[in-house]
Amino acid sequence: MDEGDLANLASALRGLGIVKHSQGKINESMTLFMKSAETAQRSLRINPKSEAALYEACQSHYWIGYIHYTNNAFVKAKAEWKRYLSSAEHLKSLSPSNPDWLIEESYALNNLGALSFRIGDMGSAIYFFRKDMEKKQGAIAISPENFRYRMEYADSRSWMSSAIESTGEISEAGLEYEEQINELKNISIKEVHYDKWKFRIASLLQLKAANRIMAGDLIQATQASDESIEILSSLIRKNDAQSEWQRSLARGHVIRSEIDLMHHEMPSAESHMAAAIQIIEQADAQTTLTPPWKRVRIYIRFMRALHR
């Protein structure tokens, strides 16, 4: 097979791996991702400048690293994501003016930042998130009207804020959250995929609420929490099939109940906790709860038991 056929085969193997992964067949998906990575390398040995093969190498190394990451095999995950970064850097060097390749490089950096964050290495996390943001800023400079790039940048900035917050810089992180929220509100007015932006704003408002709780500013925490609940409730009234929105709304009610407990406003706290439980129970009745739902439900039960 020539380089193009090999790149196409790598893509097909990766696609099948994604299907197997979505079916919970993790070992089978890992085998396919590894075969995809090997096939991409065969293509690159024929033509080291094949952008199609380099892109497939990026994706395969991402998935192999992701499986290691979810298995808490962080050393192996880091090794794969460094290979991902190396492939992305090579890809970008071939077409420096292609903003998609800058974004691909930023994804690899963000993954390494998230891994560092997970293991508590905040210095490395901040370094990778900063580099990640620089790449995304470069892509936005090339294509300023691409709102997806702006959304990606907002996500990276949120990671950076969380890392800063974890170092104890509560006030600095709080200002970062506030700036991000205002920026997204201004951008969302022009964006056709308005609901996605509104959800992102609601998520940031929850982070701001948690930040303000840590800072002892319960007034701003309450305002941010209420605004998040209002936005998410409005989104769900239009489309109640989005489980991510529902899970976030349940989390928002939990945050609001925590604030009420600090104010010793027990009826309101119980009301918000009951709302969160109702959302969880409805999700449980519709389908088997996924791990993120289970974590929210366990937390709600813990909070109720703690304050009875």
Side-chain angles (χ1 to χ4, degrees), residues 144-208:
E145 297 305 315
N146 190 311
F147 286 97
R148 180 175 68 84
Y149 295 166
R150 292 180 177 274
M151 178 70 84
E152 298 282 2
Y153 177 73
D155 184 65
S156 296
R157 194 171 176 185
S158 176
W159 273 106
M160 174 66 91
S161 299
S162 295
I164 291 172
E165 189 174 68
S166 295
T167 65
E169 298 294 336
I170 306 300
S171 297
E172 183 180 348
L175 291 173
E176 276 287 318
Y177 289 134
E178 186 66 30
E179 288 181 12
Q180 292 167 58
I181 290 165
N182 290 335
E183 182 180 356
L184 287 185
K185 284 181 177 179
N186 291 331
I187 295 173
S188 67
I189 297 171
K190 308 172 186 178
E191 168 58 6
V192 292
H193 301 295
Y194 187 65
D195 290 350
K196 292 181 181 179
W197 288 90
K198 296 295 286 184
F199 173 68
R200 186 69 195 130
I201 291 168
S203 299
L204 280 169
L205 283 164
Q206 289 185 3
L207 289 173
K208 177 185 175 182

Side-chain angles (χ1 to χ4, degrees), residues 30-43:
M30 175 65 95
T31 298
L32 288 162
F33 292 137
M34 291 179 71
K35 286 182 178 179
S36 176
E38 292 167 4
T39 304
Q41 290 304 318
R42 286 172 59 195
S43 179

